[in-house]
Amino acid sequence: MKISILLMGSLPFLGRVAAWGALGHQAVGYTAMEFLAPKALKFVQSTLSASDNHSLGPAATWADTVRSEAAFAFTAPFHFIDAEDDPEGGSCSVDETRDCGAAGCILTAIANYTIRVADTSLSATQRQEALKFIDHFLGDIGQPLHVEAFEVGGNDISAICGGSKTNLHAAWDTGMITTNLAANFGGSSQAWAASLVQEIQTGKFQSDAADWISCSSTTEPLSRRSALSQIINPGRSMKDEIMETIASRATGKITPLACPLVWAKESNAFDCTDVFDFKTGQDLCKGTYFTNALPIIELQIAKQGFRLAAWLNVIFDGATNLP
Ligand SMILES: *[C@@H]1O[C@H](CO)[C@@H](O)[C@H](O)[C@H]1NC(C)=O
Ligand SMILES: *[C@@H]1O[C@H](CO)[C@@H](O)[C@H](O)[C@H]1NC(C)=O
Ligand SMILES: [Zn+2]
């Protein structure tokens, strides 16, 4: 974060440049659209504008386009959480108290905009913004380098993608996704999302999807999972949490929710396994690195799209409405 603070005044883009690039965010949004319950779908379609095709797909990138505007500069820290762990030493962790700065982080942002999207006393514009922030931040939290402080979330690590110079963060946000979509989906995030939706409904993700919205960590071995979820989330569901958060509006206190913390830990765990596991000069967008990383990216995008739908379904329909 040192760098972004130094340059924040004049050159905001040189700090934390990106987020899942546009294609990744759109895929999260398009995936979610297929799992929305009736009231959530109605709210989404009537709230988002025609320029976004009334869809969470195109609307998912708005938060990145405004963060360079002075009026939205305060939202820059909301796109990530700087986990001060040690991925190179094999120690990954996310600690809300340690890692979520005074200016806020993705955990407080999700809580805040969850309260605001449900708040009928706010203006239509404010609720639309809240929806577009949720649409975006539920994507970002699935990107392992948005949950990592090391080398400014990989922004300061040089990398190569498809023969071109880039940095590790950008290779995850954009490079590998663009490579995959060009090769397999005609460059279309919508076509990619359609394939991820099919994997959730009837394919390789079908058996795990229920776990994704249970707020227990799917990176933990099954034998440990229930014990762990008892500690993180004893007997509470995504619904309990969201309802409680929305009700807490009266106190004006923004308390991060347990589910996004579980998701953050899940993403962060990849920083200790695959993300930093390459040699200088190795091309990340081909060969073994790409072959290992792409399934992680697809999993994280599919998961976050499904979770985004579940989240909005709880807020507007009172339950996840998903199997
Ligand atoms: C909206 O949909 C139309 C027709 O499918 C498409 O041409 C256009 O690119 C879409 N706009 C956005 C912002 O995705
Ligand atoms: C919640 O969102 C509003 C609107 O963007 C913003 O003004 C406020 O600072 C946010 N609060 C927190 C704690 O992030
Ligand atoms: Zn972002």
Side-chain angles (χ1 to χ4, degrees):
M1 281 333 299
K2 307 87 209 167
I3 293 201
S4 51
I5 286 162
L6 281 175
L7 300 176
M8 193 68 86
S10 50
L11 297 165
F13 278 116
L14 291 185
R16 290 269 181 165
V17 232
W20 285 127
L23 294 169
H25 278 292
Q26 288 159 5
V28 169
Y30 283 126
T31 300
M33 287 303 290
E34 300 305 315
F35 297 103
L36 291 178
K39 289 179 188 162
L41 180 63
K42 190 160 176 255
F43 179 80
V44 164
Q45 289 179 328
S46 59
T47 300
L48 297 177
S49 66
S51 61
D52 283 327
N53 281 346
H54 307 286
S55 165
L56 294 168
T61 60
W62 172 83
D64 271 339
T65 66
V66 296
R67 65 191 280 188
S68 59
E69 294 172 12
F72 286 97
F74 72 97
T75 65
F78 297 173
H79 294 251
F80 53 86
I81 179 166
D82 264 339
E84 300 281 352
D85 56 358
D86 178 20
E88 287 208 316
S91 165
C92 277
S93 62
V94 186
D95 183 319
E96 192 186 302
T97 312
R98 179 192 66 189
D99 302 326
C100 193
C105 68
I106 196 161
L107 300 176
T108 51
I110 291 172
N112 186 31
Y113 293 110
T114 296
I115 294 170
R116 292 177 69 87
V117 80
D119 185 350
T120 52
S121 76
L122 295 181
S123 71
T125 306
Q126 287 172 316
R127 292 183 79 197
Q128 187 204 56
E129 286 183 3
L131 178 63
K132 290 192 285 192
F133 278 129
I134 292 172
D135 188 3
H136 185 90
F137 297 143
L138 260 64
D140 275 344
I141 202 167
Q143 210 279 45
L145 289 167
H146 279 251
V147 189
E148 184 53 63
F150 182 62
E151 297 286 3
V152 197
N155 274 293
D156 286 357
I157 298 179
S158 304
I160 296 174
C161 170
S164 302
K165 281 189 180 168
T166 181
N167 67 67
L168 181 63
H169 190 100
W172 277 79
D173 272 346
T174 311
M176 291 190 282
I177 292 178
T178 306
T179 303
N180 173 41
L181 267 55
N184 300 310
F185 298 99
S188 161
S189 58
Q190 207 166 357
W192 186 33
S195 132
L196 298 176
V197 165
Q198 210 207 330
E199 296 292 358
I200 293 170
Q201 287 171 333
T202 56
K204 66 183 172 196
F205 296 142
Q206 192 185 359
S207 58
D208 289 335
D211 260 358
W212 294 349
I213 53 175
S214 71
C215 298
S216 61
S217 175
T218 51
T219 60
E220 286 297 314
L222 261 178
S223 54
R224 284 183 49 196
R225 211 181 284 170
S226 57
L228 182 86
S229 63
Q230 283 307 307
I231 296 164
I232 298 173
N233 199 12
R236 286 157 52 81
S237 65
M238 185 189 272
K239 179 178 168 179
D240 297 333
E241 273 233 287
I242 292 176
M243 295 307 181
E244 201 170 285
T245 296
I246 289 173
S248 77
R249 172 168 79 92
T251 69
K253 199 164 170 283
I254 305 294
T255 309
L257 290 79
C259 301
L261 181 60
V262 169
W263 306 340
K265 289 178 179 182
E266 238 174 66
S267 310
N268 168 266
F270 291 115
D271 294 321
C272 275
T273 54
D274 300 82
V275 175
F276 294 98
D277 187 14
F278 65 97
K279 294 191 174 62
T280 308
Q282 188 179 338
D283 197 315
L284 306 189
C285 296
K286 54 176 73 148
T288 53
Y289 189 88
F290 186 64
T291 314
N292 288 334
L294 185 58
I296 297 171
I297 292 173
E298 295 212 307
L299 171 68
Q300 293 301 94
I301 296 278
K303 253 187 201 173
Q304 294 311 121
F306 194 69
R307 285 166 170 170
L308 173 58
W311 204 255
L312 296 173
N313 292 350
V314 169
I315 296 172
F316 294 101
D317 296 77
T320 60
N321 262 56
L322 293 166

